Amino acid sequence: MLAWLEAQYPTTPRYLLGKSMGAAVALRVLAERPPVAGGLLVAPAVWGRNTMPWYQRLGLWLGMRLAPEARFLGPHRPAPGHRAHR
């Protein structure tokens, strides 16, 4: 996705946006210095690593590495290009 954005808009800076748990994931991704100009964290779900249960740390770690492009939408928000069933 970043490659496509870079090709379409070569002079426009890119930012990483995350809300709640997505902001916690974005914060973790930003720590690895991705090719973005910065990040916007909305109500980030953050806490100290020492106080986070092991399964939450494992879930974040696995999600970031196994499905970095994954998008999770509720039933009221169909994915772009898909028609909602009635």
Side-chain angles (χ1 to χ4, degrees):
M1 182 66 156
L2 280 175
W4 181 84
L5 285 171
E6 204 169 70
Q8 295 295 313
Y9 309 98
T11 61
T12 303
R14 291 165 303 283
Y15 292 87
L16 183 60
L17 167 68
K19 178 183 173 201
S20 191
M21 189 58 155
V25 174
L27 186 60
R28 179 69 178 94
V29 170
L30 288 167
E32 295 183 7
R33 300 185 182 261
V36 296
L40 177 61
L41 309 177
V42 179
V46 295
W47 49 91
R49 185 173 180 83
N50 293 337
T51 61
M52 186 186 297
W54 67 269
Y55 55 87
Q56 290 177 344
R57 288 192 311 266
L58 177 63
L60 286 172
W61 186 86
L62 285 172
M64 224 172 77
R65 282 159 180 78
L66 298 178
E69 302 276 335
R71 302 291 177 264
F72 301 95
L73 303 173
H76 61 285
R77 293 180 52 197
H82 290 90
R83 295 182 61 187
H85 297 290
R86 295 181 189 249

